[in-house]
Amino acid sequence: MAILFKSTISENAAFEVIEQAITSGRPCDGYFNAVSDAGETTLVWSPSMSAKEFLATVTDMLRLTWDVARFWIVYERREDRQDPESTAVRNAAFRLTRGYNGVIVASLSILGKRDADHDLELIFVCFAEDFQRRNFRVRYEGKSIST
């Protein structure tokens, strides 16, 4: 399968759509996953967790990521464009960034329980240094990468 890194959105836009998706009132499931050289962290939106709690926890995890790796590229995955699965994009980004120190690759999915019309899937590729982010964009963005 080929992965194409495209459809970036700004960090501010990402935070806005995350908040809208989580607090929309539509029944949703969600998960957040971050992987780095230090390991992997996963958060699942459990039935006992309110939307407000899930949003707060995701915000905290993104803040911790920002503290370690401030230079982000945020990709939006959409089904209507037939983008590859977010896990495939996340795994490809992690594999391609192995040469950089301090990289964190995270994915966030907010999925409707009734339909996929308002699903949100974001992949955060977070670098410790700006030159790493620029290098990644020049090397991979807009190019088909075989996995």
Side-chain angles (χ1 to χ4, degrees):
M1 171 187 350
I3 302 294
L4 181 63
F5 290 96
K6 61 180 182 176
S7 306
T8 61
I9 63 173
S10 72
E11 292 94 347
N12 289 337
F15 284 113
E16 288 176 24
V17 296
I18 291 168
E19 185 169 355
Q20 289 171 2
I22 293 174
T23 62
S24 69
R26 289 185 294 275
C28 296
D29 285 323
Y31 72 88
F32 177 87
N33 176 275
V35 63
S36 70
D37 288 334
E40 188 168 4
T41 302
T42 301
L43 167 70
V44 176
W45 189 350
S46 68
S48 64
M49 185 181 283
S50 72
K52 193 179 239 183
E53 289 173 298
F54 184 71
L55 179 60
T57 305
V58 166
T59 301
D60 288 345
M61 293 179 101
L62 289 171
R63 268 194 205 107
L64 291 171
T65 300
W66 179 262
D67 289 344
V68 175
R70 293 183 180 263
F71 302 96
W72 293 9
I73 306 172
V74 184
Y75 296 99
E76 181 181 25
R77 186 231 175 248
R78 292 193 6 214
E79 190 68 36
D80 63 336
R81 291 189 305 242
Q82 298 179 337
D83 291 342
E85 295 293 321
S86 61
T87 303
V89 175
R90 185 207 64 189
N91 291 344
F94 187 69
R95 192 180 74 254
L96 294 170
T97 59
R98 290 308 69 227
Y100 306 122
N101 290 326
V103 173
I104 299 170
V105 180
S107 59
L108 172 68
S109 295
I110 309 297
L111 308 172
K113 289 183 178 180
R114 293 190 186 128
D115 59 49
D117 293 344
H118 302 288
D119 288 356
L120 175 65
E121 295 184 87
L122 301 175
I123 296 92
F124 300 81
V125 186
C126 310
F127 300 91
E129 303 289 336
D130 190 35
F131 81 88
Q132 297 169 326
R133 174 179 58 180
R134 288 191 314 264
N135 186 295
F136 184 86
R137 290 188 96 155
V138 167
R139 292 180 74 190
Y140 303 113
E141 206 162 271
K143 300 171 186 152
S144 184
I145 310 298
S146 295
T147 58

